Amino acid sequence: MADTDELADDIAPDTAPAHMRTYLDFEKPVAELESKAAEMRALIDEDTEKSLSDEIKKLEEKARATLAETYSKLTPWQKTQVARHPERPHCLDYINRLFKDFTPLAGDRYFAEDLAIVGGPATFRGRPVMVIGHEKGTDTESRIKHNFGMAMPEGYRKAVRMMEMADRFSLPVITLVDTAGAYPGIEAEERGQAEAIARSTDCCLSLGVPIISAIIGEGGSGGAVAIATANRILMLEHSIYSVISPEGAASIIWRDSEKKEEAATAMKITAQDLDELGVIDGIVTEPVGGAHRDAKSVIDALGTAIALTLSEFNDMPADQIRRQRHDRFLQMGRSL
């Protein structure tokens, strides 16, 4: 059974009042229009219903048009902000909606349990699979519990344990990546963080079952690659995937983290850039305004994309699956 404290029964499109939504800096024009429409809706009575309803409709139409125009020309840094949006659906939201009979596995059999990485056997559209992903949490309590999706070494050792189990029982592996990176604290380093990430990456390469990875938010550094060294990599439209955060790159290159916008552009971290470079294999379209505006539809869309991608490996022998994965990564950058 999945942790029912973490999983909602269903996910509906964003219907929260404007004053309860979290707006990003560049969404201020939309926020003003939606807030004004909400204020007018609160003033409606029998005498003003018709006149105010017409005015509200005009405001809502203008808000939708402004939102669509804004999201049609997002910069890489703005996409980074969307990928980090606190209301964006996270790993457990996808698991709850797309997978049945999910049985979470705990512990690395060496040191401890790490809730930054969740996973276990499940059924995906009638097919037994192993699903593994980073979970960031949805509120202060759960974010602390899951360490904001930044895994310790034991999280990656748990992932290795699950992947080896999947290989043993011929279960395809589906990974959902959403992390700023592996936890950089001294205790993680003391317990072999780099070694754990390397072994997880090596385990991915050695499996004889297909691995399909989806970047659903942030795909940060080796913490992402450790479970995303896959046969196919999908990205949501406004997710990001990079070797380091824009802030980290700016601090190293310019010694000024405020140059994060320039860094985001230079690093080619968006789904569109990475698709052009051949680093990923497909982009899943998000609703206008980002995945958090209609989590249900984007989760279903990703499920369909995963199912279609997974079907490419039906009846493919283990050696060929393994070779395809190796060749995929060896070919990166050769055509540039």
Side-chain angles (χ1 to χ4, degrees), residues 277-299:
L277 292 169
V279 174
I280 64 169
D281 302 286
I283 299 173
V284 177
T285 303
E286 296 187 29
V288 175
H292 56 282
R293 286 261 174 173
D294 189 352
K296 183 177 177 180
S297 71
V298 78
I299 291 172

Side-chain angles (χ1 to χ4, degrees), residues 43-267:
L43 296 173
I44 287 180
D45 56 31
E46 291 183 3
D47 296 329
T48 61
E49 183 174 357
K50 188 177 188 306
S51 60
L52 285 181
S53 293
D54 290 342
E55 191 63 31
I56 289 169
K57 186 176 180 181
K58 290 178 182 177
L59 282 171
E60 290 176 337
E61 288 175 353
K62 188 174 181 181
R64 283 194 292 270
T66 303
L67 186 69
E69 182 183 3
T70 299
Y71 271 76
S72 69
K73 52 184 181 182
L74 293 182
T75 66
W77 174 246
Q78 288 170 337
K79 282 182 176 287
T80 301
Q81 292 176 283
V82 178
R84 295 171 175 174
H85 197 289
E87 293 160 16
R88 194 173 178 86
H90 296 306
C91 176
L92 287 171
D93 297 315
Y94 287 86
I95 289 176
N96 184 47
R97 183 160 181 83
L98 295 179
F99 299 86
K100 297 183 182 299
D101 306 316
F102 173 58
T103 304
L105 301 180
D108 65 346
R109 300 298 187 265
Y110 290 99
F111 182 76
E113 162 66 336
D114 182 0
L115 289 171
I117 286 186
V118 298
T123 303
F124 175 68
R125 301 196 175 185
R127 182 174 185 174
V129 298
M130 182 71 73
V131 58
I132 305 168
H134 301 95
E135 174 58 38
K136 284 186 171 181
T138 55
D139 55 27
T140 301
E141 183 180 355
S142 64
R143 285 169 189 151
I144 293 171
K145 175 182 175 182
H146 294 284
N147 201 31
F148 299 85
M150 296 185 293
M152 297 280 197
E154 44 271 22
Y156 294 109
R157 290 176 181 131
K158 177 172 70 171
V160 168
R161 185 166 74 87
M162 289 189 282
M163 287 189 283
E164 288 177 344
M165 182 184 297
D167 200 37
R168 191 177 309 124
F169 293 103
S170 300
L171 302 177
V173 176
I174 297 170
T175 66
L176 303 170
V177 177
D178 189 14
T179 181
Y183 184 66
I186 190 169
E187 62 269 42
E189 297 300 333
E190 287 174 342
R191 297 200 294 272
Q193 183 71 290
E195 181 265 353
I197 290 172
R199 287 192 180 276
S200 185
T201 306
D202 180 63
C203 182
C204 287
L205 288 169
S206 69
L207 299 186
V209 294
I211 307 176
I212 310 300
S213 290
I215 315 296
I216 58 175
E218 289 185 274
S221 193
V225 175
I227 62 169
T229 309
N231 294 89
R232 294 283 187 270
I233 300 173
L234 306 173
M235 283 184 74
L236 295 193
E237 181 182 2
H238 302 308
S239 56
I240 60 170
Y241 192 25
S242 63
V243 70
I244 191 173
S245 70
E247 297 92 331
S251 295
I252 293 170
I253 297 170
W254 291 287
R255 299 187 183 279
D256 182 1
S257 62
E258 291 304 310
K259 291 191 177 288
K260 54 187 179 289
E261 295 185 37
E262 292 95 320
T265 301
M267 291 165 63

Side-chain angles (χ1 to χ4, degrees), residues 13-44:
D14 178 21
T15 56
H19 68 277
M20 294 179 64
R21 289 181 183 144
T22 300
Y23 290 96
L24 301 170
D25 290 342
F26 63 85
E27 294 178 317
K28 284 181 180 178
V30 179
E32 291 171 2
L33 290 166
E34 291 185 341
S35 294
K36 190 172 181 180
E39 289 170 6
M40 292 181 68
R41 195 177 292 106
L43 296 173
I44 287 180

